[in-house]
Amino acid sequence: MTVETTSETRRVEKERPAAASRGLVRTLGVAVVALSAVAQEYGSGINFVMPRSLESYPGAEGLVPLAMLVAGLVLIPEVVLFARYSAVMPRAGSTYVWLTRGLGPYIGFAVAFLWFVGICGATGFLAYATGTFIGDAAQASGFTTQWFTTRSGHLITGLTAIWLITALHVSGVKNYGYLIYAAGALVTIAAGIVIVTGFATAPASALARLGDVVGFHPTPRPSNPSFAAFVSVVGLFMFAYGGLEASTSLGGEVADARRNMPRGIVAGWAIALVLYTLVSYALFHAVPWWSALPILESGYGYMLTTPALIGLLAPRAIAVFLNILVAVIVVKTIAPQLLDASRFLFAWAEDGFIPHRFASTNAARAPASAIVLAASLSCLFLIDAVFGGWQIGVTLRAVSIAIVFSALGLATALLAWWPSWRRARAFAADCTRGGWVKGIAVCAVLIGVVLIASVVHERGTAWYFQPWFQLAVAALVSVLLAMLANRRASSRGEDFFARFRIPPPQ
């Protein structure tokens, strides 16, 4: 999927400063790109959101594993577009760069800002889920404390996780790469335990063990799933596959990026698709869907996580190991989220949307100011998750992913079919080469619209916690920031819009 740039694009880029002069250094390889996607994807989405999805959409019933597979497959247009754009414009905060170059600074920045808010919301939820998985690990190890799943427990463990990962990022991107290699090994081990245990355990045996814990035995009932609920769960599971952006945001720090970025993006998506599908089917094979709601209603909702359920079925030593492993995996998932958010801020500062100090780097070549700001905003969403409900951060992220999905398709269509827009941008021919890419763009727009409609409203949630309200507030803030950036550029006699017709510095 690698695309060579045109001579005009190369000429423009040669006139701009190199990445090293901006402080970032290209030192990572294709494996880190792929594993960044997997590391961000395989965490609370598959271990928390997937088994508890029936809490929000009970009508999906036995179709939850299929929804996980379909959610990955409908991302194919996005994967194709990500691979194409990353070969043409591999930059820090790549998705933001592509949107503003394809849609213009106002609309592109607004969509990217929603994505950024979704990233911070998801990071806050991941930090919130840290307490749940540490609590599971404590229970599996024989401790009876429930403190980790109290509000104070969620808040303190979440804050600790966020700031520990922040310290890692500030120490440099090489250390992030080392963490990602370790995370890849941990994910493989954890997924293997779940898959083998889930498929090897008969449902009757699993329910008997579960009944000993909850004090009753759920009654089987025939499945009559709702198509609307199924589509909503597919949209919800966009959260689980959101890790693809972590790989795209490494565009400014990957060696031979035009070659390695597309390969890493495709590989990361494929690995996550296989692991997610197998884990989902394995879990629901052992613990049928009709047992989920009775468990929630009986006050044992803390049992509805992948490690807690598998822990009942595996030998004690493996159960303890898995719970500890998943707790570590969930914490490490914060790392690619913070990388993604901080590189967005870095790119915004380069283009003048926020103060330029956020594009500066420390001695370790890390954008420290951007990292700290991203962590601080994530802490606000952690508080939102603790006091407002975990579904908001998850759904907000899912909606923002769907919006970007559709917007990048629209940007590609404009670059392909709007003559004046296309002529003004030297990179347009590279981004849209091939009739199949144009077809993919149309599919991305249509799929994104359907997914947005399916999850933009959260049932039973106050209006001020609704995803649509939080997204509306974010959109207003983005417009204000764009207007201020335009005004500052005009005061210096600069054409604000001209910078978005060429790629930013490489």
Side-chain angles (χ1 to χ4, degrees):
M1 295 184 181
T2 303
V3 180
E4 296 295 329
T5 55
T6 62
S7 58
E8 175 63 17
T9 302
R10 294 193 193 96
R11 182 191 66 76
V12 170
E13 291 183 355
K14 288 179 180 178
E15 295 173 357
R16 306 296 296 270
S21 67
R22 296 153 51 216
L24 296 180
V25 57
R26 293 190 179 276
T27 186
L28 304 177
V30 65
V32 175
V33 177
L35 292 177
S36 286
V38 175
Q40 183 171 337
E41 290 174 324
Y42 197 97
S44 58
I46 192 66
N47 289 297
F48 186 96
V49 176
M50 185 272 292
R52 295 180 69 108
S53 58
L54 291 173
E55 180 179 7
S56 298
Y57 302 104
E61 299 186 351
L63 297 182
V64 170
L66 179 61
M68 182 62 75
L69 171 62
V70 172
L73 293 177
V74 299
L75 282 177
I76 290 175
E78 183 180 54
V79 173
V80 171
L81 293 178
F82 277 3
R84 171 58 64 89
Y85 278 90
S86 68
V88 178
M89 289 183 281
R91 304 293 192 273
S94 293
T95 313
Y96 151 77
V97 171
W98 306 335
L99 289 167
T100 50
R101 272 61 187 178
L103 294 174
Y106 276 85
I107 297 177
F109 179 67
V111 175
F113 193 85
L114 298 182
W115 183 301
F116 172 79
V117 172
I119 294 169
C120 293
T123 305
F125 163 70
L126 289 169
Y128 168 85
T130 298
T132 298
F133 290 107
I134 293 178
D136 287 346
Q139 290 287 325
S141 302
F143 297 98
T144 58
T145 179
Q146 295 290 330
W147 178 81
F148 293 104
T149 55
T150 64
R151 282 185 171 177
S152 59
H154 281 297
L155 185 61
I156 292 173
T157 56
L159 289 172
T160 301
I162 287 174
W163 291 108
L164 283 176
I165 296 298
T166 299
L168 172 77
H169 274 300
V170 171
S171 70
V173 75
K174 282 189 176 181
N175 291 332
Y176 168 79
Y178 297 145
L179 173 66
I180 291 305
Y181 279 118
L186 296 179
V187 165
T188 302
I189 295 170
I193 292 173
V194 174
I195 292 166
V196 172
T197 303
F199 282 124
T201 305
S205 175
L207 291 172
R209 298 182 194 180
L210 183 62
D212 292 339
V213 174
V214 301
F216 67 94
H217 295 279
T219 303
R221 60 188 179 90
S223 179
N224 185 26
S226 161
F227 179 74
F230 171 75
V231 174
S232 294
V233 173
V234 170
L236 183 67
F237 286 166
M238 290 296 103
F239 170 88
Y241 285 100
L244 284 173
E245 328 76 74
S247 56
T248 65
S249 283
L250 283 169
E253 292 156 290
V254 172
D256 193 10
R258 298 185 189 281
R259 181 170 177 264
N260 288 333
M261 287 294 295
R263 291 182 174 185
I265 289 169
V266 174
W269 165 79
I271 293 170
L273 177 68
V274 172
L275 291 182
Y276 271 20
T277 301
L278 290 176
V279 167
S280 300
Y281 275 101
L283 184 66
F284 276 80
H285 168 266
V287 184
W289 66 270
W290 40 262
S291 64
L293 289 180
I295 294 172
L296 285 168
E297 294 165 356
S298 66
Y300 288 89
Y302 66 88
M303 293 295 302
L304 280 185
T305 66
T306 299
L309 292 172
I310 295 297
L312 290 175
L313 314 179
R316 177 173 172 77
I318 294 179
V320 171
F321 176 71
L322 177 63
N323 277 273
I324 295 173
L325 189 60
V326 170
V328 174
I329 286 173
V330 171
V331 173
K332 64 78 190 158
T333 308
I334 295 173
Q337 296 273 42
L338 278 182
L339 179 134
D340 200 15
S342 64
R343 272 45 174 189
F344 265 51
L345 291 170
F346 181 92
W348 295 353
E350 284 193 313
D351 282 339
F353 284 105
I354 59 177
H356 188 71
R357 67 175 176 272
F358 291 105
S360 64
T361 59
N362 61 13
R365 299 292 184 91
S369 297
I371 293 168
V372 171
L373 178 56
S376 300
L377 294 173
S378 298
C379 288
L380 295 179
F381 278 96
L382 167 61
I383 296 172
D384 185 6
V386 170
F387 296 99
W390 65 267
Q391 294 93 338
I392 299 304
V394 173
T395 309
L396 181 66
R397 178 64 172 144
V399 174
S400 67
I401 291 171
I403 290 174
V404 170
F405 196 151
S406 191
L408 192 59
L410 178 60
T412 306
L414 290 176
L415 292 172
W417 289 313
W418 190 355
S420 61
W421 196 264
R422 182 180 177 87
R423 285 194 299 270
R425 290 158 177 80
F427 52 82
D430 292 325
C431 294
T432 60
R433 182 175 299 150
W436 59 275
V437 172
K438 300 175 180 66
I440 285 290
V442 173
C443 290
V445 173
L446 297 177
I447 293 172
V449 169
V450 172
L451 294 177
I452 292 166
S454 71
V455 292
V456 74
H457 180 77
E458 181 69 30
R459 293 181 303 168
T461 300
W463 62 270
Y464 45 84
F465 281 131
Q466 286 287 349
W468 58 262
F469 176 75
Q470 296 190 1
L471 289 171
V473 171
L476 290 175
V477 172
S478 72
V479 170
L480 177 61
L481 289 174
M483 292 175 64
L484 291 174
N486 190 358
R487 183 175 179 179
R488 287 193 296 268
S490 298
S491 68
R492 297 190 297 266
E494 300 175 1
D495 183 350
F496 176 68
F497 295 91
R499 72 179 65 180
F500 298 99
R501 299 189 190 103
I502 59 175
Q506 183 173 338

